[in-house]
Amino acid sequence: MNAAVFEAIKVLLDEGKVPTVALTKSRLVKPLPMPVIIAAVSQYKNNPDSIYNLMKTPEQASNSDPKNTQLDRIEQKLDRLLALLEQK
């Protein structure tokens, strides 16, 4: 996949939007051929995990456990704090 298209899809995902051809094309810094954009969006729609796997650097992929991400730890702390507040 083209790195520019990959970055555009990543930006859309970070914004909480579902990548479409039109949205992805609008996020590109420079114009690219439509078949490249369509292929990337199709790849995402067929297998969203493939994009997330590409987003991890090799170092992150080997060092991080998906069950123990920073977001999961923050959510656990928040759950504990909410439970403590409910007890009072």
Side-chain angles (χ1 to χ4, degrees), residues 18 21 27 34 42 55 57 77 80 87-88:
V18 176
V21 174
R27 295 300 193 279
M34 191 61 76
S42 295
M55 289 169 63
T57 62
K77 289 178 183 179
R80 285 192 303 254
Q87 289 177 355
K88 293 183 178 187

Side-chain angles (χ1 to χ4, degrees), residues 6 8 18 27 29 33 35 42 48-49 51 55 64 68 70-71 81 83 85-86:
F6 168 72
V18 176
R27 295 300 193 279
V29 177
S42 295
D49 293 334
I51 298 295
M55 289 169 63
S64 68
N68 200 16
Q70 183 177 6
L71 180 59
L81 289 171
L85 287 172
E86 289 175 355

Side-chain angles (χ1 to χ4, degrees), residues 72-85:
D72 289 334
R73 291 190 305 269
I74 292 170
E75 287 177 347
Q76 290 171 354
K77 289 178 183 179
L78 181 59
D79 289 340
R80 285 192 303 254
L81 289 171
L82 289 172
L84 288 172
L85 287 172

Side-chain angles (χ1 to χ4, degrees), residues 8-64:
I9 290 174
K10 183 176 179 242
V11 167
L12 288 168
L13 293 173
D14 289 344
E15 293 174 359
K17 296 180 181 177
V18 176
T20 63
V21 174
L23 283 173
T24 303
K25 184 177 180 182
S26 71
R27 295 300 193 279
L28 292 174
V29 177
K30 61 181 181 177
L32 289 173
M34 191 61 76
V36 173
I37 300 168
I38 293 170
V41 172
S42 295
Q43 179 182 346
Y44 169 77
K45 287 185 177 183
N46 290 333
N47 187 6
D49 293 334
S50 67
I51 298 295
Y52 295 116
N53 291 338
L54 291 173
M55 289 169 63
K56 288 185 175 182
T57 62
E59 183 178 306
Q60 288 175 327
S62 64
N63 291 339
S64 68

